[in-house]
Amino acid sequence: MTREVHKFGGASVRDADAVRNVGRILADVARADVGLAVVVSAMGKTTNAMESVWSALPQGEAAIPAVERVRRFHAGILDGLSMPWSVLEKDWALFEDTLAAWKGQAADDRGYDALVGFGERFSTRIVHAHLAALGLPVEWVSAWELIVTDAGHRAARVDLEETRNRVVQRMSMGTGALYLTQGFVGGTLDGTPTTLGREGSDFSGALLAEALDAERLVVWKDVSGVMTGDPRRWPPARRIERLDYG
Ligand code: ASP
Ligand code: MG
């Protein structure tokens, strides 16, 4: 049996069609002889929107329009997938409780980590519901309890050993297993949410791949690999076939 980790970034889940595409890819990759762990980040530009919510926190009510934008965006994607709002109901309630707890307070880094990572939770709940509807045996895992970090909020350092222990314990990776978790977020030993830094979801994927001793980590992109430039802005950009770590 082989083990694989697949990571999908924000662009890969930016709307209902993109989520359907992820479903097609995973239905294709899931085979009886492979154990899969899947990392998904927040949908589209949600993390930027969550940062707006966070920075409006000190002004209390000022955060409401940004919260409403986040709600409407996800409700629209659920609609596009013909799924009910109840998919997000629990996490949305938790998000509102967290907002209420932080409203009117200084927008510090701990508050950032308490709030911004909800983008990944919403995203993975929606993808989970979609994969389950396709009949895939998907299990949702909270990265708050999976990726163990210090309390260096917004740039937390990962405790590799404890993370490896938890991943191995939580993801048995038996035949046909399909685990789905959030990129970018982690939590301290006492359960306080943290984040790994912007664009941190690729790193989350690498952490899982290492912990699970996976054969490969596949980072799905809207381009065919690491390129010499952004092909939308610079058409001669070409793919780099091999890159060393340095
Ligand atoms: N959602 C986070 C960000 O936009 C993490 C990631 O996508 O890698 O930075
Ligand atoms: Mg990204």
Side-chain angles (χ1 to χ4, degrees):
M1 207 215 45
T2 59
R3 295 157 181 213
E4 294 183 2
V5 179
H6 290 252
K7 182 261 174 175
F8 296 90
S12 300
V13 287
R14 67 171 165 254
D15 55 27
D17 276 343
V19 173
R20 279 193 205 95
N21 194 43
V22 169
R24 276 191 295 273
I25 289 171
L26 289 176
D28 203 44
V29 172
R31 302 182 311 265
D33 59 343
V34 64
L36 286 178
V38 176
V39 173
V40 177
S41 56
M43 295 178 148
K45 300 286 175 213
T46 297
T47 304
N48 295 348
M50 297 299 267
E51 286 186 345
S52 309
V53 171
W54 167 75
S55 55
L57 274 185
Q59 295 100 45
E61 306 304 304
I64 292 174
V67 172
E68 187 48 25
R69 273 199 300 280
V70 170
R71 196 194 60 75
R72 251 186 285 123
F73 174 70
H74 290 89
I77 292 180
L78 280 170
D79 246 21
L81 292 165
S82 308
M83 290 194 303
W85 174 254
S86 58
V87 168
L88 288 183
E89 206 152 348
K90 266 198 204 141
D91 281 277
W92 192 264
L94 198 57
F95 176 53
E96 290 202 318
D97 289 349
T98 310
L99 271 175
W102 284 91
K103 209 161 78 181
Q105 296 198 42
D108 68 5
D109 291 348
R110 215 163 75 88
Y112 179 102
D113 283 355
L115 283 171
V116 175
F118 272 96
E120 268 69 12
R121 285 183 79 95
F122 302 149
S123 171
T124 49
R125 288 291 185 200
I126 293 175
V127 172
H128 176 265
H130 179 66
L131 297 179
L134 292 178
L136 293 169
V138 57
E139 199 177 316
W140 189 94
V141 179
S142 166
W144 283 342
E145 284 97 45
L146 192 69
I147 306 295
V148 182
T149 73
D150 66 8
H153 290 287
R154 293 187 76 170
R157 289 184 69 92
V158 176
D159 179 338
L160 291 174
E161 204 178 306
E162 186 55 27
T163 297
R164 193 181 300 120
N165 290 342
R166 296 219 187 163
V167 169
V168 168
Q169 215 170 53
R170 187 67 186 77
M171 300 181 162
S172 65
M173 297 296 271
T175 300
L178 170 49
Y179 293 97
L180 173 67
T181 194
Q182 305 82 51
F184 176 58
V185 312
T188 61
L189 272 178
D190 67 5
T192 307
T194 57
T195 57
L196 309 178
R198 289 300 307 264
E199 306 298 334
S201 293
D202 289 4
F203 181 40
S204 306
L207 288 167
L208 289 188
E210 197 273 339
L212 294 167
D213 198 17
E215 266 70 30
R216 55 181 196 146
L217 162 65
V218 182
V219 179
W220 291 89
K221 295 279 179 194
D222 47 3
V223 289
S224 59
V226 178
M227 301 187 73
T228 54
D230 182 341
R232 281 162 301 208
R233 296 188 191 188
W234 191 55
R238 56 187 178 76
R239 190 167 64 167
I240 300 170
E241 296 301 332
R242 294 177 76 87
L243 266 179
D244 65 36
Y245 285 104

